[in-house]
Amino acid sequence: MLVQRAIRRPGVSWQTCKPLALGPMPRRTLTSEQMKIVQSTIPALEQHGMAITSLLHRRLLDFHPELKNVFNTTHQVTGEQPAALAHAVWVYASNIDNPAALQTTLSRIGHKHASLGITPEQYPILGEGLLAAIKTVLGAAADDQVLDAWGAAYEKLAEYCIRFEGELYRQAAATPGGWKGWRKFFVSDRTQESDAAIMSFHLTPVDGGALPAHKPGQFVTVRRFVPELASYQPRQYGVSGAPDGKSLRISVTGAAASDARPAGRAAGVLHEDLPAGAELDVSMPLGGLVLDVNAATPAMAMLKTLVDQASWRSVVFVHAARGGRGHAMKAALSEIVANNPQVRRAVFYQEVTDRDQQGFDYDFAGGLELSKIKDVVLLPGADFYICGPLPFIKAQSKALMLMGVDEGHVHMELFGSPSE
């Protein structure tokens, strides 16, 4: 596994990864000279970033086992979570002197953290672990100056995150029907959505209280105790239904095992062990990717809201799926397109079978290529909302930029695995 390879790499044994005697992290001012030092480590981050973050995650789980209730164990095994963190560290170092360029990334991280209930007290734990991992992996290259610069840089980042997440918690508690932390829900209904083992769950508060009017594109974190792991496993899912004040709907795809990755434990628990009436913990709906108008994926929830509340808008719904069996909410999309002439679709199937009918099930064979539908998607003054894993988001946003779309009109939200 990738995590194990990173930790067992030559010259980095686990015996060298005991906590360093760093002591309390003092408050420091991030100077321009320290910014330059952090930026000078970018080549090392590009080469050793995965080793650093894999080691960091191993340290955190070994010395702070309570954090097993926060981390996705499947993404630990596959290396996806360390990869996502390595990318975030690299982005921060690359833009440390340009805070405006970090707003989207930090907002996304802040919403995810708030949905997991991350507290200010946990930031020093992560900071100590990060500095220790940098020192262990980089060795003599991570001298006192480098560690001091990264310590100051991390504190600056932590201060921003704590303020941002604190404001999200405050807003959540002040919103009618809202809450901070976890709230107990029960499964009031479950529906099989497609052949691809997509199951929708209607979740209703156990306390019988009202719910906030979530925005299309937001997500919730759900968690349930997994006995075989002896810990809670949290997962984020887009809210796939319109707000009704009584329940939330999420749609979950069962993750089967393969040679490259184990089966998704949390998805399996939901699919197999969560009958109607079962209880689980749910966070407040959060997420920065929302429509500016007054449902299996966040994008479908957005589409439903647009046709209900802004029927005058021209909408192009572009969807990429591995194939017909993995095409979530196909019937719902077809119905919306058929009943709303202002809505057009462009569906790409990576793998086409004899069962898939072009023009009915899908429109294009192969991976999503916006250049094929340039004349369709480039509507005057259009806003573009992209949901998906990180490589998909990067590829599609780059394609839009190459077609002349201003980046201010491109809105992104990371869903699914960071690296798939």
Side-chain angles (χ1 to χ4, degrees):
M1 299 297 177
L2 189 56
V3 172
Q4 293 174 329
R5 286 203 303 269
I7 291 175
R8 303 296 183 188
R9 61 190 289 271
V12 182
S13 65
W14 180 240
Q15 284 70 29
T16 65
C17 300
K18 295 177 181 178
L20 299 181
L22 298 176
M25 294 176 64
R27 293 185 63 84
R28 288 164 283 195
T29 300
L30 181 62
T31 66
S32 58
E33 183 61 31
Q34 288 173 324
M35 290 184 190
K36 293 178 182 178
I37 293 174
V38 168
Q39 289 176 323
S40 74
T41 65
I42 290 175
L45 293 176
E46 292 173 343
Q47 183 177 358
H48 302 295
M50 271 292 292
I52 291 171
T53 55
S54 296
L55 184 57
L56 166 61
H57 277 274
R58 178 69 174 269
R59 283 178 51 86
L60 291 176
L61 295 180
D62 276 7
F63 295 113
H64 299 278
E66 71 277 6
L67 293 179
K68 292 179 181 178
N69 294 310
V70 174
F71 290 125
N72 181 322
T73 56
T74 299
H75 289 173
Q76 290 292 314
V77 172
T78 61
E80 293 167 13
Q81 202 152 37
L85 180 56
H87 176 75
V89 171
W90 176 84
V91 168
Y92 180 52
S94 300
N95 296 281
I96 195 168
D97 58 350
N98 183 18
L102 295 168
Q103 292 301 310
T104 299
T105 297
L106 294 181
S107 174
R108 182 172 65 246
I109 291 173
H111 280 271
K112 293 292 176 69
H113 280 186
S115 78
L116 290 166
I118 300 299
T119 65
E121 292 75 20
Q122 290 171 319
Y123 276 93
I125 296 173
L126 179 61
E128 179 184 349
L130 177 62
L131 294 183
I134 290 174
K135 177 62 178 176
T136 300
V137 173
L138 299 187
D143 58 20
D144 289 344
Q145 269 194 326
V146 168
L147 291 178
D148 190 59
W150 263 107
Y154 177 81
E155 286 184 11
K156 190 73 173 179
L157 175 63
E159 288 175 7
Y160 174 88
C161 290
I162 289 170
R163 286 199 307 270
F164 184 86
E165 291 154 24
E167 179 60 19
L168 290 179
Y169 291 138
R170 187 196 67 76
Q171 292 177 6
T175 299
W179 68 97
K180 176 184 176 182
W182 301 107
R183 186 174 177 183
K184 193 71 71 176
F185 281 64
F186 71 93
V187 178
S188 52
D189 189 24
R190 50 181 284 161
T191 306
Q192 190 84 34
E193 296 289 358
S194 77
D195 293 337
I198 297 174
M199 188 76 70
S200 286
F201 297 87
H202 292 260
L203 309 177
T204 301
V206 170
D207 59 25
L211 292 175
H214 65 269
K215 299 175 182 177
Q218 290 190 311
F219 63 87
V220 294
T221 294
V222 302
R223 73 170 190 175
R224 188 163 167 81
F225 189 77
V226 179
E228 64 185 276
L229 299 175
S231 65
Y232 286 91
Q233 278 295 282
R235 296 292 187 274
Q236 280 98 25
Y237 297 106
V239 182
S240 56
D244 62 9
K246 299 177 181 178
S247 66
L248 299 170
R249 187 180 79 168
I250 61 172
S251 299
V252 181
T253 301
S258 68
D259 293 339
R261 61 184 293 128
R265 288 190 175 98
V269 168
L270 291 175
H271 272 251
E272 300 166 14
D273 302 319
L274 203 67
E279 296 184 358
L280 70 168
D281 297 325
V282 182
S283 75
M284 174 81 171
L286 291 165
L289 179 65
V290 296
L291 288 170
D292 59 350
V293 297
N294 294 0
T297 66
M300 279 297 293
M302 291 179 177
L303 178 60
K304 183 67 167 59
T305 297
L306 280 170
V307 298
D308 287 347
Q309 300 183 13
S311 59
W312 50 270
R313 284 193 174 188
S314 295
V315 180
V316 180
F317 189 90
V318 183
H319 181 70
R322 288 189 175 91
R325 290 179 61 84
H327 187 173
M329 300 296 184
K330 178 168 60 176
L333 175 60
S334 297
E335 181 179 355
I336 289 175
V337 172
N339 295 328
N340 296 274
Q342 80 280 16
V343 178
R344 288 180 288 178
R345 72 163 206 188
V347 176
F348 290 75
Y349 278 5
Q350 185 72 42
E351 301 171 358
V352 177
T353 68
D354 294 339
R355 298 175 55 187
D356 301 320
Q357 182 179 345
Q358 190 170 20
F360 180 76
D361 297 302
Y362 74 100
D363 302 299
F364 300 93
L368 196 160
E369 295 182 45
L370 289 177
S371 59
K372 289 184 177 180
I373 53 174
K374 180 178 179 179
D375 294 339
V376 175
V377 298
L378 292 184
L379 302 175
D383 283 298
F384 299 83
Y385 295 83
I386 309 174
C387 299
L390 184 59
F392 176 84
I393 287 176
K394 292 171 68 175
Q396 305 315 320
S397 60
K398 180 179 179 180
L400 289 172
M401 305 299 177
L402 291 175
M403 290 192 294
V405 175
D406 185 274
E407 63 179 340
H409 288 273
V410 180
H411 315 277
M412 299 167 282
E413 183 67 71
L414 177 66
F415 280 92
S417 302
S419 60
E420 68 182 8

